[in-house]
Amino acid sequence: DAGVIQSPRHEVTEMGQEVTLRCKPISGHNSLFWYRQTMMRGLELLIYFNNNVPIDDSGMPEDRFSAKMPNASFSTLKIQPSEPRDSAVYFCASSGQGNSNQPQHFGDGTRLSIL
Amino acid sequence: AQSVTQPDIHITVSEGASLELRCNYSYGATPYLFWYVQSPGQGLQLLLKYFSGDTLVQGIKGFEAEFKRSQSSFNLRKPSVHWSDAAEYFCAVGTNYQLIWGAGTKLIIKP
């Protein structure tokens, strides 16, 4: 079975540019999570979708960040304009239900470098 | 407030030696507990989980963890580590819909 698929795996771009990260969750999962991981702050939850609806976006750092889930099999995280402090690894995860007892399944992440 | 503490940032063990990684949590209700492993350049992979029942849970790759309610702990163990176990290990507690994560423990294996 295919796991969570993220693209691109690596992205290097100059500050001010728009960045779009993509995620395909596991088929049948109805919860999707976007995380950011840095050395300084560890793993941070950015936004949580349930049944394609954003439920909690309190972790989205600024208005420069936006996320969408137009259907059950696709989500995007966009940064516009990007800044060097956005450099991090961004993970997408999905789970079967939005319950605390359901494990989350992670993609391999997108390593983002903003120059 | 809910929290997860992994007191060891790094742990170094010799190949073939036993391993115990510590995890303490703070949560008001019965916790759902998880251990994940992250190899370099990879996402997080679920090792094992505890929901209820037997307090000793078995996971993949020969790992096990024991839930101790009296100590609010969920320590991860392996009787004999292999070089391929070198990675970062994260403990997490499930609350409502999200996971509260520990800061992680980096495991270094000495040959």
Side-chain angles (χ1 to χ4, degrees), chain B:
Chain B
Q2 302 97 340
S3 65
V4 177
T5 302
Q6 293 180 248
D8 303 306
I9 298 174
H10 298 100
I11 279 191
T12 301
V13 299
S14 298
E15 190 170 15
S18 63
L19 170 71
E20 183 168 34
L21 301 182
R22 295 182 291 166
C23 173
N24 293 95
Y25 67 90
S26 172
Y27 187 60
T30 301
Y32 299 115
L33 296 162
F34 305 84
W35 274 100
Y36 284 80
V37 60
Q38 185 179 26
S39 298
Q42 303 286 313
L44 281 74
Q45 181 185 20
L46 180 69
L47 279 177
L48 48 79
K49 58 185 184 285
Y50 170 78
F51 294 160
S52 63
D54 193 348
T55 57
L56 184 64
V57 293
Q58 303 297 320
I60 63 172
K61 306 185 180 190
F63 285 91
E64 65 179 26
E66 186 171 12
F67 169 60
K68 293 185 177 179
R69 184 186 299 276
S70 61
Q71 298 178 20
S72 297
S73 69
F74 188 56
N75 294 349
L76 182 71
R77 302 195 294 247
K78 186 169 184 178
S80 175
V81 298
H82 186 262
W83 64 266
S84 60
D85 294 324
E88 190 156 17
Y89 292 79
F90 292 89
C91 181
V93 60
T95 77
N96 199 7
Y97 58 83
Q98 66 175 300
L99 296 179
I100 306 298
W101 296 89
T105 297
K106 185 164 287 188
L107 176 62
I108 300 163
I109 307 295
K110 285 193 302 186

Side-chain angles (χ1 to χ4, degrees), chain A residues 22-98:
Chain A
R22 296 171 176 81
C23 175
K24 177 178 169 56
I26 292 173
S27 178
H29 282 187
N30 61 2
S31 293
L32 184 139
F33 306 81
W34 281 102
Y35 288 91
R36 178 171 67 178
Q37 187 179 40
T38 61
M39 290 289 291
M40 291 295 294
R41 300 169 72 95
L43 199 60
E44 303 173 276
L45 177 65
L46 299 178
I47 188 168
Y48 157 61
F49 290 89
N50 190 45
N51 292 323
N52 312 337
V53 176
I55 303 299
D56 182 357
D57 66 355
S58 59
M60 296 285 264
E62 301 171 34
D63 291 345
R64 299 185 295 107
F65 286 68
S66 62
K68 294 183 179 179
M69 192 164 185
N71 57 62
S73 59
F74 184 65
S75 177
T76 60
L77 177 68
K78 188 173 293 187
I79 308 173
Q80 166 65 17
S82 58
E83 296 183 4
R85 60 194 168 117
D86 302 330
S87 298
V89 182
Y90 291 81
F91 288 104
C92 177
S94 69
S95 69
Q97 297 180 43

